[in-house]
């Protein structure tokens, strides 16, 4: 048992969720390493949702509401960390979930789908009858009615290659990635540099606030969004935090 007053309670509990996901067979062992890399960056940005992350989260909510065919891509880490929250977000913005794995096995795909359905997900794309062009076969598999034809895709914790392939297909790609230097962060249309455990509830909250706005008002909100600027603010934040900790 991790005591609630432990200074790293949140972070340790998140690790427990990932370990639990591995035990359940929904998270890959490589998912542990991805989480570790994410944690390191979270430490450097101060383990908080910064102003630029909140800006990206609000624009992401607006983009999802404006989309014709939005889809939320989920993997083993998402399934372990924020399953209920991502189902709620999907319902708010009318975006079905689709399992899309880097280390894909049919067994794990089936388990993740069952995990989400047991938690109440009603709207999921479950076929793998299309291929994203330009990627190796297993990693490219998607649903012909889902990610393949989606106009806006939310891809939490995505791999850089696939993020680029989705952008190359002309899609608006919203990434959640704590590393502002990763290829995913650099190539996504909107990059949310925040922990998925904070980002998903934040996007949901914004979606709730924005859902009754007119289309034109949502478009106004999205106008002028500059992802390069968001990424450079994230790097500046890391620099600032490092400088304030230098011992002299
Ligand atoms: P890329 O392929 O985009 O260059 P990478 O190879 O460094 O990235 P991957 O293992 O492909 O990384 O994907 C994991 C990414 O997810 C990392 O950039 C990591 O920072 C991020 N990440 C891991 N856990 C979280 C989390 N809980 N919240 C947000 N981001 C996370
Ligand atoms: Mg990668």
């Amino acid at each position: 048992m991790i005591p609630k007053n432990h200074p790293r309670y949140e972070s340790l509990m998140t690790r427990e969720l990932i370990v639990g996901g591995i035990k359940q067979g929904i998270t890959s062992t490589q998912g542990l390493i991805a989480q570790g890399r994410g944690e390191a960056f979270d430490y450097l940005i101060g383990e908080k949702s910064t102003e630029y992350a909140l800006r990206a989260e609000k624009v992401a909510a607006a983009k999802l509401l404006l989309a014709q065919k939005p889809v939320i891509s989920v993997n083993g880490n998402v399934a372990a960390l924020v399953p209920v929250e991502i189902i709620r977000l999907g319902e708010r913005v009318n975006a079905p979930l689709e399992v899309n794995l880097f280390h894909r096995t049919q067994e794990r795909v089936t388990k993740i789908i069952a995990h989400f359905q047991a938690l109440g997900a009603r709207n999921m794309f479950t076929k793998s009858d299309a291929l994203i062009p330009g990627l190796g076969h297993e990693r490219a598999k998607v649903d012909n009615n889902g990610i393949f034809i989606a106009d806006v895709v939310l891809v939490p914790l995505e791999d850089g290659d696939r993020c680029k392939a989705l952008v190359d297909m002309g899609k608006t790609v919203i990434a959640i990635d704590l590393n502002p230097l990763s290829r995913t962060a650099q190539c996504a249309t909107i990059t949310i540099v925040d922990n998925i455990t904070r980002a998903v509830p934040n996007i949901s909250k914004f979606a709730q606030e924005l859902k009754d706005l007119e289309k034109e008002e949502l478009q106004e909100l999205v106008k002028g969004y500059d992802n390069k600027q968001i990424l450079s603010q994230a790097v500046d934040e890391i620099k600032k935090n490092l400088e304030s900790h230098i011992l002299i």
Side-chain angles (χ1 to χ4, degrees):
M1 261 293 272
I2 300 163
K4 267 215 144 114
N5 60 356
H6 191 290
R8 306 218 46 75
Y9 180 78
E10 294 283 331
S11 161
L12 293 174
M13 285 310 288
T14 305
R15 285 186 188 182
E16 291 299 312
L17 290 175
I18 293 280
V19 171
I22 291 173
K23 287 185 184 151
Q24 271 179 273
I26 56 174
T27 307
S28 71
T29 43
Q30 288 87 347
L32 280 173
I33 302 168
Q35 173 66 20
R37 176 148 37 203
E39 277 183 11
F41 280 97
D42 207 10
Y43 217 109
L44 294 174
I45 65 167
E47 295 176 318
K48 59 181 187 298
S49 298
T50 56
E51 242 172 75
Y52 56 81
L54 290 164
R55 162 91 180 120
E57 283 155 1
K58 192 168 190 177
V59 169
K63 277 275 187 199
L64 285 164
L65 289 167
L66 281 166
Q68 300 286 323
K69 274 201 76 54
V71 175
I72 299 178
S73 174
V74 290
N75 66 12
N77 283 42
V78 178
L81 293 178
V82 284
V84 173
E85 296 81 354
I86 209 125
I87 292 170
R88 187 174 313 132
L89 173 63
E91 284 168 359
R92 282 216 173 135
V93 299
N94 242 322
L97 308 183
E98 180 172 335
V99 178
N100 197 227
L101 305 180
F102 185 79
H103 299 283
R104 184 189 174 95
T105 62
Q106 193 48 48
E107 189 193 352
R108 205 152 66 82
V109 172
T110 307
K111 277 192 178 162
I112 296 176
I113 292 170
H115 176 68
F116 277 109
Q117 287 175 340
L119 290 170
R122 284 189 301 270
N123 215 351
M124 292 187 80
F125 288 116
T126 56
K127 292 210 186 102
S128 46
D129 49 0
L131 293 175
I132 303 171
L135 288 178
H137 190 70
E138 283 305 308
R139 292 172 48 217
K141 284 183 179 171
V142 284
D143 191 314
N144 195 28
N145 292 313
I147 290 177
F148 193 71
I149 56 161
D151 55 346
V152 177
V153 194
L154 173 64
V155 287
L157 324 183
E158 183 62 346
D159 174 61
D161 263 20
R162 199 161 42 194
C163 177
K164 181 166 183 312
L166 293 171
V167 170
D168 287 347
M169 286 176 85
K171 301 180 192 303
T172 294
V173 177
I174 304 166
I176 302 174
D177 190 336
L178 278 159
N179 176 4
L181 305 172
S182 77
R183 287 171 308 147
T184 301
Q186 301 281 329
C187 88
T189 324
I190 297 168
T191 307
I192 296 167
V193 185
D194 201 357
N195 201 313
I196 188 176
T197 56
R198 299 187 298 267
V200 173
N202 285 346
I203 305 169
S204 251
K205 184 180 69 74
F206 284 124
Q208 183 66 21
E209 282 171 24
L210 301 175
K211 75 176 182 0
D212 295 325
L213 291 191
E214 296 296 329
K215 200 173 161 198
E216 291 71 28
E217 291 175 292
L218 289 173
Q219 280 163 343
E220 192 58 34
L221 206 151
V222 166
K223 217 165 77 187
Y225 176 82
D226 181 350
N227 205 48
K228 289 249 170 336
Q229 191 193 356
I230 292 284
L231 290 173
S232 93
Q233 282 173 324
V235 174
D236 284 347
E237 178 85 17
I238 290 173
K239 273 201 257 174
K240 193 187 79 194
N241 287 341
L242 283 171
E243 277 161 9
S244 71
H245 282 86
I246 291 173
L247 298 175
I248 28 175

